[in-house]
Amino acid sequence: MSIEQKRAARRHTLGLLFAAGVFAAGAPTAASAQARQEVRIGYQKYGTLTLLKGRGTLEQRLAAKNVTVKWTEFPAGPVLLEGLNVGSIDFGTVGEAPPIFAQAAGANLVYIGNEPPSPSSEAIVVPKDSKIRSLADLKGKKVVLNKGSNVHYLLVKALEKAGLAYKDIEAIYLPPADARAAFERGSVDAWVIWDPFLAAAEKQLGARVLADGKGLVSNHQFYLASRSYAEKNPEIVRIVLDEIAKVDAWGEKNQKEVAVILAAQTGLAVDVVALAASRYAYGVKPINATVIEQQQKVADAFTNLKLIPKAIVVKEAL
């Protein structure tokens, strides 16, 4: 091979290496790739996490720490916490009942924070032309709900107020989409549901509210993390809560913008999410003893009804 041929071959080899990125400026090294982290957040079609996702401020804040955010939507709290338990997400938000069922099932989760009570964000609804006029009228009726979700405790307390036992109604357990279908075709007599599905039922189906959570339940929105993630990444957890607090403060003062963002995130009509957002409670707080005592009452109620397999001590999940 001549000198020119050798030089040409060398140039060709170098060209291939550059094309492959081996010598490219700023190409990621094994060390830099390893330094990148990801926080996996589970959310539902409601609440501050959906708003935070739509605003994009958490991604901006964590980018400076080389942390990316992966969002996963869940149809309800129980399946979200299943995801947390099996390690598919690190952090998420649910109502008051799902953590009870998850803890009873052995999930190693921790309470991180909560929003203020929002009792009007969940309700028992009936068709607009239903003959059911009071909670007592639910006796012997088919009531559909998502088992283990926040509305499960609402149903328990509503029946208690009416002097009915849980066995006095026929509970049918379905996720929100299937429950709505059953409600629309008249296969059930009542539906226990939360916003924005509640707002959609009111706006689109003319559903009539038989009773909401006021005077019955607190209906806190809780933020939870897997214990292992929270212990290994306390700074990231603090940043997530800080950004939730910021978007809470913004959302409380900008209801119209909140509705627009939530409509884009959920695919629901603006008037539906505007109604739901008007019932939100804004202002994330650290978990305190009073909230844990309320959660223990939820747990004890489910234990007494044998809806969970064993008694639990809620404070063990702090």
Side-chain angles (χ1 to χ4, degrees):
M1 182 182 292
S2 68
I3 293 176
E4 285 302 319
Q5 288 174 321
K6 289 179 180 179
R7 287 175 178 170
R10 186 182 177 204
R11 285 195 298 269
H12 177 69
T13 301
L14 288 173
L16 290 175
L17 291 173
F18 274 108
V22 174
F23 295 116
T29 64
S32 65
Q34 189 174 10
R36 282 196 297 272
Q37 296 183 59
E38 181 180 68
V39 56
R40 301 165 301 168
I41 299 178
Y43 71 103
Q44 301 177 59
K45 284 186 184 295
Y46 76 86
T48 308
L49 278 188
T50 307
L51 186 57
L52 182 62
K53 177 178 179 289
R55 292 270 286 168
T57 53
L58 179 61
E59 286 85 346
Q60 296 170 19
R61 176 88 176 269
L62 289 177
K65 296 189 174 295
N66 209 19
V67 178
T68 58
V69 183
K70 180 181 178 181
W71 298 91
T72 302
E73 183 180 322
F74 291 86
V79 286
L80 187 152
L81 290 186
E82 285 177 19
L84 192 76
N85 191 36
V86 300
S88 61
I89 58 171
D90 307 305
F91 186 96
T93 183
V94 297
E96 56 200 356
I100 304 299
F101 280 79
Q103 190 178 348
N108 196 13
L109 52 80
V110 288
Y111 287 84
I112 301 299
N114 65 271
E115 301 286 353
S118 182
S120 60
S121 292
E122 59 179 3
I124 302 171
V125 297
V126 295
K128 58 185 177 182
D129 57 354
S130 172
K131 294 181 180 178
I132 297 174
R133 295 290 167 179
S134 69
L135 291 172
D137 292 338
L138 291 176
K139 185 173 183 178
K141 299 297 191 292
K142 294 179 179 179
V143 182
V144 67
L145 69 152
N146 195 103
K147 184 177 183 179
S149 63
N150 59 331
V151 296
H152 208 147
Y153 188 56
L154 170 60
L155 178 60
V156 169
K157 298 304 288 182
L159 292 174
E160 183 181 290
K161 180 182 178 180
L164 298 178
Y166 196 78
K167 64 182 180 180
D168 286 334
I169 57 105
E170 183 181 347
I172 297 172
Y173 300 127
L174 293 173
D178 294 334
R180 171 165 170 152
F183 184 78
E184 281 192 75
R185 65 175 176 262
S187 300
V188 296
D189 301 295
W191 182 19
V192 198
I193 190 59
W194 62 90
D195 275 326
F197 305 108
L198 168 60
E202 291 176 271
K203 289 284 188 180
Q204 298 168 353
L205 307 179
R208 173 164 50 86
V209 172
L210 187 66
D212 62 18
K214 291 192 293 289
L216 294 173
V217 297
S218 296
N219 190 32
H220 285 104
Q221 178 184 342
F222 287 105
Y223 299 104
L224 300 107
S226 72
R227 183 176 295 277
S228 60
Y229 185 86
E231 290 176 349
K232 293 175 183 175
N233 302 278
E235 184 181 9
I236 294 176
V237 171
R238 282 195 296 269
I239 289 173
V240 172
L241 282 179
D242 187 46
E243 289 303 313
I244 290 172
K246 289 178 181 178
V247 84
D248 261 347
W250 177 86
E252 192 171 20
K253 297 177 182 178
N254 297 275
Q255 290 287 298
K256 289 183 179 179
E257 290 88 342
V258 165
V260 171
I261 292 173
L262 291 180
Q265 291 295 311
T266 63
L268 295 170
V270 173
D271 65 330
V272 169
V273 292
L275 175 58
S278 71
R279 298 189 283 228
Y280 284 173
Y282 298 92
V284 64
K285 302 289 183 185
I287 297 291
N288 61 42
T290 300
V291 172
I292 289 302
E293 287 174 9
Q294 292 175 5
Q295 278 294 89
Q296 189 62 55
K297 291 179 180 178
V298 178
D300 293 343
F302 287 142
T303 301
N304 293 336
L305 289 169
K306 296 182 171 25
L307 291 171
I308 56 176
K310 64 179 182 180
I312 63 167
V313 178
V314 173
K315 67 181 179 181
E316 292 178 355
L318 293 180

